[in-house]
Amino acid sequence: MNSSSLRVCVAGAGAIGCTLAARIALSGQPVSVFARGKTLAALQRNGIHLHDLEGRHHVTVNASDDAAALGVQDVVFLCTKAPSLTTLLPQIQPLIGPDTRVIPMVNGVPWWYFHGEGGRFDGEPITSVDPDGVIHASLDPRNVIGCVVFMTAQSSGPGVVSTHNAYRIVFGELNNALTPRLEELCSLIARAGIETQGSDRIRDQLWTKIIANLTSNPVSVITGATLEQIYGLPQMRELALATFHEVLAVATAYDARLSMEPTTFMQFGASMGAIRTSMLQDFEKGLPLELAAIGDAVLEMAQKVNVPMPVTRSVVTLARFCAEHPHKDHVRH
């Protein structure tokens, strides 16, 4: 991968997409952003404003809603929310050639989980996240490099993002091979000032993030609680621990290797401070929630291996009810 002539595109310009695009641009690597509507107009007019641990940054990016005009890319990062993938992928087909590396930066269980996995469910779909097979039909798994994002970012407006925690991203091939294209991708992101790792067991890292998501996101919608409260307050921590152990049992059933000590995990979560989860932010804005990828998909996988998840199922059910029947006292920003 010749970085000087590399064509890189970030598809989706929310908080994570803008953060990634800004960091890549700051490294000197040209980057395009596929965006639409008010977000596109803001990026074209004002670029991206990022406030992170290194300070305040302003970058200009090549923003467009015309995938054909942007042309085939070497690397495409899918930075939309999981529910929007089925809409986004058909729109960005002109970006994807036979050798394009496509990196889905989505929360929860990805549709590609069983592709190249090699176990007894190898090649099976995750119907919760791709019920009609649109994602699988739109994207050849051979183009995909798995990704687990350990980043928190909040957006106060189109193209204006802030984060107060360190960046970390883990990449891995779906078949767990350590390939030159994986190494090159890691180099690209490391140059952007993001801690990066290429893994030969990407699903282990994935379960770590799934546990973090599932112990915090749905309950934040129900309660409005921050990470500090979810993992720090005794009663809330008890609920998070129950979910933690249920998800860990599912991960273990799929031969994931996780070295997570629950007390340390809870302490780390509480140390994140008064962070409102991305799902809570979406809920307050009246946006679709990632419950299918973060909750339903894990329950689907649990059912395949006969692992009961009563606490998790109840919390996901309550979060969905809140989303479908918002109380008048819930503040929508």
Side-chain angles (χ1 to χ4, degrees):
M1 188 190 297
N2 184 350
S3 60
S4 62
S5 60
L6 195 63
R7 302 193 72 183
V8 178
C9 183
V10 173
I16 295 297
C18 282
T19 300
L20 180 65
R23 292 304 319 180
I24 292 173
L26 287 166
S27 74
Q29 166 65 51
V31 59
S32 300
V33 177
F34 180 84
R36 302 176 73 91
K38 293 179 180 178
T39 301
L40 173 63
L43 293 180
Q44 290 177 332
R45 184 173 60 251
N46 302 318
I48 298 174
H49 292 266
L50 170 66
H51 182 198
D52 64 8
L53 292 177
E54 291 187 6
R56 296 183 181 274
H57 317 279
H58 175 239
V59 300
T60 57
V61 293
N62 176 30
S64 175
D65 60 358
D66 187 344
L70 291 173
V72 173
Q73 305 288 305
D74 296 297
V75 181
V76 175
F77 295 96
L78 304 180
C79 295
T80 187
K81 300 283 186 180
S84 303
L85 274 179
T86 53
T87 303
L88 176 71
L89 282 169
Q91 297 172 348
I92 64 167
Q93 287 303 302
L95 302 178
I96 303 170
D99 299 319
T100 302
R101 281 136 287 194
V102 180
I103 299 92
M105 303 183 73
V106 292
N107 279 328
V109 179
W111 82 95
W112 53 257
Y113 187 93
F114 290 121
H115 290 283
E117 179 251 358
R120 57 179 162 148
F121 302 110
D122 189 72
E124 289 193 13
I126 304 286
T127 55
S128 296
V129 292
D130 192 18
D132 301 315
V134 172
I135 300 175
H136 181 72
S138 302
L139 190 57
D140 189 327
R142 289 174 295 185
N143 288 97
V144 176
I145 294 179
C147 172
V148 187
V149 182
F150 297 95
M151 293 166 57
T152 59
Q154 300 187 63
S155 176
S156 58
V160 181
V161 287
S162 62
T163 178
H164 305 292
N165 293 299
Y167 303 122
R168 181 168 175 257
I169 303 178
V170 181
F171 299 104
E173 295 281 7
L174 305 195
N175 64 359
N176 292 325
L178 293 174
T179 61
R181 72 174 192 170
L182 176 63
E183 184 179 337
E184 291 163 346
L185 176 64
C186 290
S187 296
L188 167 71
I189 297 304
R191 289 195 297 272
I194 297 172
E195 182 188 342
T196 311
Q197 176 189 347
S199 173
D200 60 357
R201 292 185 59 88
I202 187 64
R203 291 165 184 82
D204 292 353
Q205 299 287 342
L206 187 62
W207 279 109
T208 300
K209 181 68 182 292
I210 288 169
I211 289 176
N213 280 329
L214 203 41
T215 54
S216 61
N217 278 271
V219 75
S220 74
V221 170
I222 302 165
T223 63
T226 65
L227 294 184
E228 187 175 44
Q229 294 168 325
I230 290 168
Y231 297 116
L233 297 176
Q235 299 93 329
M236 296 292 282
R237 185 168 61 244
E238 187 176 329
L239 178 60
L241 273 169
T243 306
F244 176 99
H245 288 298
E246 288 185 354
V247 183
L248 190 60
V250 180
T252 302
Y254 283 99
D255 299 320
R257 301 174 191 166
L258 300 180
S259 55
M260 297 180 69
E261 198 280 311
T263 302
T264 304
F265 177 79
M266 297 296 147
Q267 290 173 343
F268 178 76
S271 74
M272 298 289 281
I275 295 289
R276 290 152 60 251
T277 70
S278 59
M279 188 177 285
L280 176 58
Q281 293 179 58
D282 287 344
F283 173 66
E284 291 177 337
K285 294 173 184 174
L287 298 173
L289 305 187
E290 295 178 291
L291 282 171
I294 287 174
D296 299 341
V298 178
L299 293 169
E300 177 184 334
M301 294 181 74
Q303 197 165 9
K304 279 179 177 284
V305 291
N306 299 311
V307 174
M309 302 188 76
V311 174
T312 304
R313 187 176 297 278
S314 297
V315 171
V316 171
T317 298
L318 289 171
R320 178 164 281 113
F321 181 86
C322 289
E324 294 174 353
H325 305 86
H327 192 276
K328 64 180 180 180
D329 292 335
H330 278 127
V331 178
R332 296 288 177 102
H333 298 297

